[in-house]
Amino acid sequence: MNYGRLIQKQREYFMSGATLPRAAREDVLRRFGRAISGRRESIIKALHADIGKSEGESLMLEIGPVMDGLRHTLENLGRWMRPATVPSPPPLQPGISRVYCEPLGVALIMAPWNYPFQLCFLPLLTAVSAGNCVLLKPSPETPRVVEVMRECLEAVFPPHYVALAEGGVSEAAALLRLRFDAILYTGSARVGRIIMRAAARHLTPVCLELGGKSPVLVMKDADLPLAAKRTAWGKILNAGQTCIAPDYVMADEKVRDEFTGLLNKFFTEMLGPDPLGNPDYARIISEAAFERLAAMAPAGTRTDKAARKMAPTAFAADAGHPSMREEIFGPLLPVLSFNKAEDALESIRAQEKPLAFYVFTEDKAFARRALSRVSSGGACVNDVLLHAASADMPFGGVGGSGMGRYHGRRGFEFFSNIKSVLHQSTGVDALFRYPPFSPETMAMLRGPGC
Ligand code: NAD
């Protein structure tokens, strides 16, 4: 495929203005929604075939967020597109100051395999809602999902509007040599750096949705059973292969053992006594990923190498444990202990800023302090993951976990040029700006001071 030519065609289509009118954007978004709804069963089947995802998880975390995103966007697009009139300071008066969102042009969206449907289509619908053309590059690890996504796209968009690029690293590298007007990348920090370097050549803005070690801080005053139940839920989804999954726990030493026991109890309650045989429990994506996890798993972790399944396992560990050296991205959950909360906060602060930070406590003042001490992309108090489930909450990372935000309006803004325009009057011409400056003008420019 000659992507250079395809992108040229997309640019021409964009320049024609066809993607601009609100009615046109709403029309494609509605048809896109129908194309997805009509293929719901195929999407669920493909997700199961590619990564062993259950129907429930597929509805809740793949199709659901995309349909919610479409609904939210259709409800708000008019408001987002409307230029905002802002106050004009005296020197600009009687001009009118407005802020416009104009589309950037041709966007590249690159996504990983772990939520292959959501992480392709949510950014895609956002880029389209902002009036852009899109080249979408999904992960090659989920070919059946890619096939259904292709059907959905072809039912609505001609390739000069939205096109799908398949392939692995070499195709991705070739794409990255081309010029785009925006890139939204979801995946590892290692590849994130490659993306940013490539984008720098063309000064293309990037939104990097990366990962990292998202900690769970458990205070001894927390509702321990509920904290363990919610944390266990956040870990078993997609067998821990979730960017904002609880990566490790830091529990007060007085409750660490109890909490670890509760986590394992809830794993069993949710997946049954034989999680490896549970068809609703996802498998590990590849043999290499399985081996990487097996190397850091504590003795006794139940695994099925042939089926690439690993039972969710919480275990007491310290900071030197191999699982603490990198993002786990699997169903293992080390539980560290602390004696003083301040030490726990310091040890979290000493690492890369995480994508998510979770704190379980009944003490609201402590929760506020913890949130103000730990910088993270997002956070939950007394829950996990769900901060990512609201279209009104911007989503993204900070530092090592990424940059830029999307979901809802923030996504619309990422794919837009935010343009400030002064509509000046020709009826009045304030003379003070022109030299030579009179003593009165000079006095005015000096101002009263701050
Ligand atoms: P990955 O970086 O290996 O792959 C993601 C995409 O990059 C794929 O489309 C892949 O084809 C492409 N790619 C891979 N190597 C490349 C290269 N050398 N040059 C150009 N493109 C390349 O990521 P992954 O393993 O698929 O995903 C796991 C990571 O993604 C984890 O760190 C996880 O936390 C993170 N993640 C983040 C989010 C988020 O929303 N922040 C969501 C899901 C996953």
Side-chain angles (χ1 to χ4, degrees), residues 424-425 428-438 441-442 444-445:
Q424 187 58 288
S425 150
V428 181
D429 191 24
L431 296 177
F432 67 85
R433 70 163 128 167
Y434 302 112
F437 298 135
S438 67
T441 300
M442 289 305 289
M444 190 185 78
L445 289 175

Side-chain angles (χ1 to χ4, degrees), residues 25-43:
R25 300 187 204 184
E26 289 175 345
D27 174 58
V28 287
L29 291 177
R30 277 198 200 94
R31 287 195 287 127
F32 189 40
R34 287 199 290 274
I36 294 169
S37 304
R39 289 169 179 79
R40 191 175 276 137
E41 295 315 311
S42 315
I43 298 164

Side-chain angles (χ1 to χ4, degrees), residues 111-114 119 137 172 185-188 209-211 243 327 329 395:
W113 49 266
N114 64 333
L119 297 178
K137 157 74 183 71
Y185 167 80
T186 307
S188 66
E209 300 288 343
L210 311 178
C243 56
E327 179 182 2
F329 217 53
F395 182 79

Side-chain angles (χ1 to χ4, degrees), residues 4 13 40 46-47 51 63 78 83 111 144 167 188 201 241 255 259 290 292 300 338-339 396 414 436 446:
Y13 186 63
R40 191 175 276 137
L47 285 162
I51 36 179
I63 302 171
R144 296 174 190 86
S188 66
R201 272 204 295 276
Q241 301 165 110
V255 299
F259 193 71
F290 183 90
R292 186 183 63 81
F338 64 85
N339 175 259
F414 170 72
R446 283 207 174 83

